Amino acid sequence: MTGAVKRPRLEDVAAAVGVSTASVSLVLRGVAGPSAETRERVLEAAARLGYRADRSASLLARRRTHVLGVPVLLRDAFRTELAEEVQLAADARGYTVALSGITRTHDEQRVVDTLLDLRCEAVLLLAPGLSPAGLSALGARVPTVVIGRRLPPDGFDVVRVADADGIGQAVDHLVGLGHRAIVHVDGGRSEMAPERREGFTVAMAAHGLEPRIAPGGDSEEAGARSARALLDAGLPTAVVAANDRSALGLLDVFLRAGVRVPGDVSVVGYDDAELSRLAHVRLTTVSQDAPEQARMAVDAVLERLDGGRTDVVERVLRPRLVVRGTTGPVQA
């Protein structure tokens, strides 16, 4: 009779690498200390051996708290809105959410560690900046959901919108209004920027148009810089910004320069953050459906905590263009 397959232990990973179990634990928890070389060797050995933390034993040892941890970048309007929706979705399922702010002195990893020290049973990350290896290591510690970032799920679940589709809807809308000279102000180094750039390039090519991409970022200041550069280089008839904050910076500079929106240039944002809905802004933008993303993310976590699911999932929502007052037909 064949014996049961032995589950790899922390000690097995340590022995394979030739380091202490404490070092292995630090690497798998994403905590600073071990060298980059040691981290790489530990992650490789853990993957090769098929090591996964025993979450059920961990939860039993510390008892259930029914608390979900959510790091949040407070200066990002959409992510704070998404955090609120996560809290509402968790409340409806009988769970509490612990929010902790990411700041200049408390980066995302430090905030995650603090939340886990507070005995959060799972972590929901809003467009996280952690590396894929760091996310996998975190997923080995507790159930983890990545929200709003395109990554192959690897020890963690993913809930996101199809960003390329959203940008494509914006381009289709502008082309339908007669625009041909359309510029994409990209998201700079933000995690969502590559897919949105790609979506713009593909959508423009589908209409037989030359894509023009201007460097941007994820803040009002970045949008303002892009607007000034566009004024100097010659305005297109339409701009698709990678996010609402950048779009607001564009609108501010255009207004101060006497550029009419949408008379002289149409502007589209991305996120449908609360500021974009204000009566004096009325930004045409792409909605990411924050309530639905939050509900799906909380459901994914509870499938693990309460339902025993062990496989990883990726759930992709289709975004929706919301037409307001910053887009209009090309003026003759």
Side-chain angles (χ1 to χ4, degrees), residues 125-155:
L125 303 172
L126 315 179
L130 295 176
S131 69
L135 292 169
S136 296
L138 178 59
R141 299 171 64 188
V142 293
T144 300
V145 178
V146 170
I147 307 174
R149 181 177 171 189
R150 185 177 67 172
L151 281 174
D154 180 17

Side-chain angles (χ1 to χ4, degrees), residues 16-54:
V17 180
V19 298
S20 68
T21 55
S23 293
V24 172
S25 178
L26 288 174
V27 171
L28 296 179
R29 289 187 293 122
V31 178
S35 67
E37 179 186 358
T38 298
R39 288 180 182 279
E40 183 177 348
R41 291 170 57 211
V42 166
L43 292 173
E44 186 279 328
R48 174 167 45 81
L49 295 173
Y51 173 79
R52 282 290 184 272
D54 189 343

